[in-house]
Amino acid sequence: MDISRQLKLANTTGQLLFGQRQATDACAKGDAKCIILAANCPQKYIDELAANHPEVTMHRTGMVNRDLGVASGKPLSISTITVIDAGESDILTLSGNLE
């Protein structure tokens, strides 16, 4: 799957949240369906999020935060993308890949 293409499609047809704070809030509310993490997202943050919200699928990409921002169509460094609504994309077919 081309994650870049799916992220852009989800961003235009669905609802994505960007950043660690928004991911934590969405998980706490039960709105998060999937979280996409940059390769250089802090491990401590990932461990805490996975421990507190095991029901949410978390997928770590091979892209660093700058590349993840560009892939989602944002000119920012983004370490965490939360999928609330996938829209017309297939982004929710990603499997969790955290050890």
Side-chain angles (χ1 to χ4, degrees), residues 5-56:
R5 178 180 290 154
Q6 295 302 320
L7 282 172
K8 286 178 184 171
L9 186 59
N11 196 27
T12 56
T13 63
Q15 182 181 4
L16 301 178
L17 300 176
F18 302 97
Q20 294 179 3
R21 194 172 318 138
Q22 289 83 352
T24 303
D25 292 346
C27 286
K29 291 178 187 174
D31 294 339
K33 294 184 177 150
C34 178
I35 296 178
I36 299 165
L37 303 158
N40 60 343
C41 187
Q43 190 62 45
K44 181 179 177 184
Y45 171 77
I46 295 170
D47 293 342
E48 289 176 12
L49 196 62
N52 292 332
H53 304 286
E55 72 281 359
V56 179

Side-chain angles (χ1 to χ4, degrees), residues 17-94:
L17 300 176
F18 302 97
Q20 294 179 3
R21 194 172 318 138
Q22 289 83 352
T24 303
D25 292 346
C27 286
K29 291 178 187 174
D31 294 339
K33 294 184 177 150
C34 178
I35 296 178
I36 299 165
L37 303 158
N40 60 343
C41 187
Q43 190 62 45
K44 181 179 177 184
Y45 171 77
I46 295 170
D47 293 342
E48 289 176 12
L49 196 62
N52 292 332
H53 304 286
E55 72 281 359
V56 179
T57 302
M58 296 185 197
H59 182 84
R60 188 173 218 164
T61 65
M63 294 181 269
V64 296
N65 56 359
R66 289 182 189 186
D67 296 337
L68 193 58
V70 171
S72 60
K74 301 285 183 182
L76 309 166
S77 294
I78 300 172
S79 63
T80 308
I81 298 175
T82 306
V83 180
I84 303 296
D85 177 17
E88 297 174 8
S89 74
D90 295 329
I91 203 78
L92 291 179
T93 61
L94 288 173

